[in-house]
Each structure stands twice: as structure tokens, then as C-alpha cells.
Amino acid sequence: KPVDALGFAQVNLSYNPNSARTYQVMSQVYQRQNQREAAIGALQKAIQLDPMNMGYKNQLQQLQAAK
């Protein structure tokens, strides 16, 4: 369930606040919940933490292009 996944991700962030992967997972959950702006914000945070990750950048580009 997306709600459960989001809860697990938030708990993970409490232990590892610099986990870019966790923010990417949160972005996916937000996308499934049709919370586009929250998804974009989570991906932006993932990129801030891991600026060399092209996968995150590509996902952000696709998300921003989708309307």
C-alpha cells in the first residue's frame, strides 16, 4: 500500500536523513497518490543529496514534463 510505503520511508529518514534513495521512493509513492508537487519535491531533495544520479534527474524531467 502506498500509505504503508510512505510511512516506512519516513521512518527510514528519521534514521538516515541523507538517504537519496528514500526520497526517490517517496517520490514514487506520491506519484501513485497523484500528488505531483510532493513527488517533484521529493525528487529534488534526492538530487540535492545525490547530484550525480542521472536516474533521479531523468525521473524529475519526465515528471515535470507530464501534465
Side-chain angles (χ1 to χ4, degrees):
K1 292 181 183 179
V3 174
D4 293 339
L6 190 57
F8 286 124
Q10 290 169 335
V11 168
N12 188 48
L13 284 177
S14 70
Y15 290 102
N16 187 6
N18 294 320
S19 171
R21 175 73 175 125
T22 300
Y23 282 103
Q24 189 269 339
V25 167
M26 290 174 69
S27 176
Q28 290 178 324
V29 172
Y30 288 136
Q31 288 178 59
R32 290 181 186 214
Q33 294 177 331
N34 295 317
Q35 296 182 41
R36 186 172 172 271
E37 292 304 315
I40 289 171
L43 267 177
Q44 288 172 332
K45 181 67 175 179
I47 292 167
Q48 178 185 351
L49 294 169
D50 186 2
M52 301 303 289
N53 189 311
M54 291 307 295
Y56 297 164
K57 290 179 181 181
N58 290 338
Q59 288 177 18
L60 180 60
Q61 246 181 351
Q62 290 174 358
L63 188 56
Q64 289 174 327
K67 292 187 178 183

